Amino acid sequence: TQLLEQSPQFLSIQEGENLTVYCNSSSVFSSLQWYRQEPGEGPVLLVTVVTGGEVKKLKRLTFQFGDARKDSSLHITAAQPGDTGLYLCAGAGLDSNYQLIWGAGTKLIIKP
Amino acid sequence: EAQVTQNPRYLITVTGKKLTVTCSQNMNHEYMSWYRQDPGLGLRQIYYSMNVEVTDKGDVPEGYKVSRKEKRNFPLILESPSPNQTSLYFCASGRGTGTHNSPLHFGNGTRLTVT
């Protein structure tokens, strides 16, 4: 059974600080997606990483896929209150197009 | 506007009273799925459908039924709800071309309480 461990589970920091969220697995994924979920809404895709070592940037958010495609990280620079939310990673297995393996999520609170 | 619509948003019911949560998407997606979200457990897949008349069990299918008679609709049926099915439910849809080519689009959720 493939597992995707996400850490930390909860993070509360001050506006302007930097942070990193991790998703780790012993399994190889064909791609990995990051979603953000705000209260009262469903998850919304932020980015998909496909190639080992790939780095994608979305404004102050930097996403990296590990060289071996087993892990990924999300780094936020100078966090803003608008970054508050639940961040979820989801990996696509090598043998299945749509059966995503989900991390448990990181609840992020950015205090003004 | 492209969207996945779930109804109702909130539902409180009693043990054993059959209920249906509806899900509809307007993006002509082949793939649809139901998830439940519980604190600390993330999203767990209940059922999914790769196309009309094709449905498969996810990780936690017990106590649930689905149907896919039309491409746009994918209702979730709880024949005899129990308190352990109290949860936040999400419907999602996507193109049938692979996850790295297409994201999942989620509805806004249905918060179900079974007493």
Side-chain angles (χ1 to χ4, degrees), chain A residues 96-98, chain B residues 29-31 50 94-103:
Chain A
S96 176
N97 277 337
Y98 264 109
Chain B
H29 285 163
E30 288 87 4
Y31 179 86
M50 297 296 290
R95 292 203 321 255
T97 56
T99 51
H100 59 279
N101 291 326
S102 174

Side-chain angles (χ1 to χ4, degrees), chain B residues 65-91:
Chain B
K65 285 175 56 177
V66 293
S67 68
R68 189 88 182 274
K69 294 184 171 62
E70 308 164 281
K71 199 171 189 179
R72 64 182 293 121
N73 296 322
F74 191 46
L76 179 69
I77 303 154
L78 283 73
E79 293 271 4
S80 182
S82 62
N84 64 12
Q85 292 178 299
T86 292
S87 187
L88 179 59
Y89 291 85
F90 286 101
C91 179

Side-chain angles (χ1 to χ4, degrees), chain A residues 25-75:
Chain A
S25 176
S26 58
S27 304
V28 178
F29 295 105
S30 63
S31 64
L32 196 137
Q33 301 175 352
W34 285 91
Y35 290 79
R36 180 166 68 203
Q37 183 181 6
E38 300 190 22
E41 298 181 7
V44 175
L45 181 75
L46 294 173
V47 78
T48 302
V49 286
V50 181
T51 307
E54 182 177 7
V55 176
K56 282 191 173 179
K57 291 193 174 185
L58 194 65
K59 297 183 181 177
R60 293 174 293 98
L61 279 61
T62 302
F63 303 84
Q64 184 163 7
F65 203 12
D67 291 339
R69 291 185 289 141
K70 293 182 179 181
D71 54 84
S72 182
S73 63
L74 156 61
H75 182 79

